[in-house]
Amino acid sequence: MTATAVIDSPDARALMRSVGVPLHFGPVDRRLFGMLHEPASGGDARERVLLCPPFGQEAVRLHRFFRVLAERLSRQGALVLRFDYFGTGDSEGSDADGDYGGWMADVDAAQAVLQERGPVVPVLWAGAGLGATIAMSAAARVAAPPARLVVWEPVIDGRAYLASLRERHVETLEASYSLWDPSWRRALTRRPDAFTAEAVGFAVPVPLREAIHAIEPDGVGRDLPCDIDVVADPENAPVRAWAARLGGRVRQVTPLANDFEWTAEELRGAALVPTAALKTLLSLCAT
Amino acid sequence: MKPGELGVRFGPSRRLAGVLTPAHGAQQPVGCVLFNAGVVHRIGPHRINVQTARALSRQGIATLRMDLSGIGDSAPAQSTLEPRAQALADLQAGMSRLHEVSGVDRFVVVGICSAAEHAYALALEDARVRGILMFDGFAFPTPLTRPICRFRRLLRLRVATLPRRVTQAIMDGDAGDAASLSTVLVHPAPSRDEFRAALDQLVDRGVAVNIMYSGSVLERHSYSWQLHHAFRGARFLDDVDYAYLPALDHTLVTKAAQREFVERTVDWAVRTARRNGTTAPLASASA
């Protein structure tokens, strides 16, 4: 099999520009999957946008959101790359291979794809959840950092995030099985080591867990080489306080009500692509 | 080096998206198609389609995991087909694409939840389908189903919350008679007679049928041998794989459930491949 998909008709080219062309990139032993959305007009890109997905079930839940966001940005003249970190989505590897440092390198590899393509126009990174945190960590280390970052509900307190994942894991088990097991909740309360190795369907290997555990508000975004826009729920006081402490690098903090469950297994009437979130991210990602 | 996966666009105007996983080593004479469970994109719930595809690859079975029209990364269809017919057309396009790349012309189709209903309909319509796996597809309660469901729920009650939980356990058992376990699609489920006739037809054609029920559908399927009670004396019962798996849940949240699902699926698919003759020559794979 060859490494790239064949595009062989004008209609197909037009469609691909809108809905994305699948591609594989990265080192041979760390092949990553991505979807590249070219400017729908067929002209040169006005900007380049890299979308960094969140972790685990959150990435599954937000897949459609990121696809629609990418399509809309492409219609506004952007070159957009969505991708999966190693061991996630359609990328090579298993979820047991997940590691924070490797995912930072994956952001760098994805950035290289964008840099290889299109004219020299600003590159913006947008990340959600843990993806926002990974993007901030990577931006401080890569040779060619983005011109700007958009971070939506970044994880700034790793311990709190891991605790929320444990809680959500047990809630998911209780919702999913017809016969819930009371020992699940007892273990959640009484045994700190229970439900730490996996979270809502995805493995959380020890190195990844330790890396997330080490995420603290004072460390996140400390060495940012670019300006950031923060998107957070009005009631997310920790993130708002963190953004205030970052000071001048933060262009603005945009309130966005968190009105859907990021780890939901089923929609249960919720919108697959929340309109307010789409409008907010679109406006912040467009230059 | 093992052959890598390949993201592809295919179908009319290349509107459909998927990822091909080539067979590793000697190729089996059947390929496998995996697709969406509800609105989850092609990776499947908790990436189960990715895990399954790679495990099948190691056993010589090439796979395509794909998005149906309008789901995941596939563009909406431009045809006027009703949803079921469109889904079948998409799956047929997927089988044709997998044939072009791998050379196989016989297929097994794995369906979870709503996908099980599509797999069933596809097998009845397309002779290339040599096996279908239906996980939490159509269910057929017997007079014992609800009493057993209620009894098993009562066994789980804690004394302190007994009155409320007794009521809940009893109420939860009254979930209606619809045979479809899917909450996503509204296609009419087959009657018992229709299902019996269809399964007889499929096994007569030599189609390998695997029917599995998880521990998330207790109201509709609550004990081993329920299928045999629901279709007492039916001819197809001797020829299908059937299992009630209460340790698994509907979306395979735990890693243990994922492992068991993959193992069972691979075992069944390999047995099906062996029933379908000699190993196919490796195709000169190019996308």
Side-chain angles (χ1 to χ4, degrees):
Chain A
M1 292 183 180
T2 56
T4 55
V6 173
I7 309 167
D8 59 4
S9 76
D11 281 351
R13 286 175 201 278
L15 180 74
M16 302 277 180
R17 283 197 292 271
S18 167
V19 299
V21 181
L23 61 102
H24 302 265
F25 61 95
V28 171
D29 59 350
R30 200 177 172 88
R31 300 293 285 168
L32 305 175
F33 177 88
M35 276 280 183
L36 188 71
H37 300 248
E38 295 179 352
S41 64
D44 286 342
R46 289 170 41 204
E47 64 169 340
R48 293 174 286 184
V49 181
L50 178 62
L51 299 180
C52 302
F55 168 71
Q57 180 61 18
E58 296 173 349
V60 177
R61 177 70 177 83
L62 261 64
H63 177 272
R64 179 72 173 196
F65 179 87
F66 271 30
R67 172 193 153 177
V68 173
L69 177 62
E71 286 179 16
R72 298 288 178 87
L73 287 168
S74 110
R75 284 186 221 157
Q76 294 178 7
L79 176 70
V80 187
L81 178 63
R82 296 183 281 137
F83 77 104
D84 298 321
Y85 309 108
F86 187 70
T88 76
D90 284 307
S91 287
E92 293 289 340
S94 122
D95 53 355
D97 301 321
D99 77 292
Y100 194 88
W103 290 347
M104 285 166 49
D106 294 344
V107 174
D108 197 15
Q111 166 82 332
V113 172
L114 278 180
Q115 285 178 318
E116 289 165 4
R117 294 167 189 255
V120 181
V121 290
V123 177
L124 176 146
W125 295 358
L130 189 65
T133 313
I134 293 168
M136 285 189 281
S137 301
R141 289 163 177 77
V142 297
R148 185 161 56 88
L149 264 166
V150 176
V151 295
W152 180 20
E153 296 287 348
V155 172
I156 58 163
D157 182 340
R159 273 178 286 188
Y161 181 62
L162 290 172
S164 73
L165 287 179
R166 289 180 73 228
E167 177 74 29
R168 282 296 301 142
H169 183 76
V170 171
E171 287 174 3
T172 303
L173 290 176
E174 290 174 338
S176 192
Y177 282 96
S178 295
L179 293 175
W180 42 260
D181 186 338
S183 71
W184 293 333
R185 193 149 288 274
R186 281 200 301 272
L188 178 69
T189 307
R190 298 173 188 173
R191 287 180 38 217
D193 62 329
F195 306 114
T196 55
E198 50 190 89
V200 198
F202 294 90
V204 188
V206 171
L208 176 62
R209 191 159 69 241
E210 289 175 348
I212 295 174
H213 192 270
I215 296 171
E216 293 183 338
D218 288 345
V220 175
R222 198 172 45 192
D223 304 319
L224 274 178
C226 60
D227 289 343
I228 65 170
D229 289 301
V230 179
V231 181
D233 188 282
E235 295 183 6
N236 191 342
V239 165
R240 300 180 81 80
W242 162 79
R245 284 200 301 277
L246 275 186
R249 280 297 189 194
V250 178
R251 290 202 326 169
Q252 59 184 314
V253 179
T254 304
L256 176 64
N258 216 352
D259 56 1
F260 70 100
E261 177 51 62
W262 284 43
T263 56
E265 292 287 311
E266 296 185 35
L267 292 175
R268 300 188 193 286
L272 198 53
V273 181
T275 306
L278 183 61
K279 281 184 179 174
T280 300
L281 271 289
L282 263 178
S283 67
L284 291 173
C285 289
T287 52
Chain B
M1 191 181 79
K2 69 175 184 178
E5 295 187 328
L6 180 66
V8 290
R9 288 268 179 202
F10 62 97
S13 300
R14 300 194 175 230
R15 307 181 76 80
L16 299 171
V19 174
L20 291 157
T21 308
H24 188 203
Q27 183 168 280
Q28 299 282 353
V30 302
C32 176
V33 176
L34 304 157
F35 59 110
N36 315 98
V39 295
V40 178
H41 70 291
R42 63 189 167 275
I43 69 168
H46 307 121
R47 217 172 172 231
I48 195 68
N49 287 351
V50 178
Q51 298 178 54
T52 303
R54 293 175 184 171
L56 288 170
S57 169
R58 290 190 288 272
Q59 298 299 321
I61 296 177
T63 72
L64 171 69
R65 56 179 184 272
M66 60 175 283
D67 291 315
L68 300 179
S69 291
I71 304 177
D73 288 311
S74 288
Q78 288 187 316
S79 74
T80 55
L81 295 173
E82 58 88 21
R84 168 57 57 75
Q86 184 61 57
L88 299 194
D90 293 344
L91 291 169
Q92 288 173 320
M95 289 192 293
S96 297
R97 189 73 183 99
L98 185 50
H99 168 69
E100 289 168 16
V101 173
S102 68
V104 295
D105 56 8
R106 288 159 284 178
F107 304 91
V108 295
V109 182
V110 176
I112 297 174
C113 187
S114 58
E117 301 173 20
H118 290 325
Y120 166 87
L122 182 68
L124 291 172
E125 187 166 307
D126 196 314
R128 292 177 295 174
V129 177
R130 308 304 297 158
I132 55 170
L133 187 152
M134 298 187 281
F135 182 73
D136 283 350
F138 303 116
F140 299 92
T142 71
L144 288 178
T145 304
R146 284 184 181 171
I148 290 174
C149 168
R150 291 171 185 177
F151 177 70
R152 295 181 66 187
R153 280 206 161 110
L154 287 166
L155 288 179
R156 294 290 178 110
L157 302 185
R158 283 178 292 178
V159 174
T161 58
L162 204 56
R164 178 172 60 83
R165 290 179 182 274
V166 165
T167 305
Q168 188 65 46
I170 293 170
M171 294 304 290
D172 283 354
D174 293 325
D177 285 327
S180 170
L181 296 172
S182 166
T183 57
V184 177
L185 300 176
V186 291
H187 303 296
S191 68
R192 269 167 216 251
D193 287 345
E194 288 169 338
F195 189 78
R196 178 195 297 252
L199 269 286
D200 283 346
Q201 177 189 333
L202 290 177
V203 298
D204 286 349
R205 243 177 57 204
V207 176
V209 178
N210 190 336
I211 303 171
M212 296 196 282
Y213 296 100
S214 76
S216 298
V217 294
L218 198 65
E219 297 85 1
R220 315 284 170 77
H221 198 103
S222 64
Y223 63 100
S224 302
W225 298 99
Q226 179 176 316
L227 194 71
H228 294 78
H229 291 166
F231 294 95
R232 204 178 297 272
R235 201 167 75 245
F236 74 82
L237 288 171
D238 291 336
D239 294 311
V240 300
D241 283 58
Y242 157 62
Y244 170 54
L245 305 165
L248 273 57
D249 70 290
H250 187 58
T251 58
L252 306 161
V253 172
T254 68
K255 299 305 294 181
Q258 292 167 25
R259 279 191 294 273
E260 180 165 357
F261 180 86
V262 171
E263 285 171 10
R264 285 178 173 272
T265 302
V266 170
D267 172 72
W268 165 79
V270 169
R271 281 190 281 117
T272 303
R274 287 177 182 153
R275 278 173 50 180
N276 277 272
T278 55
T279 298
L282 277 171
S284 55
S286 67

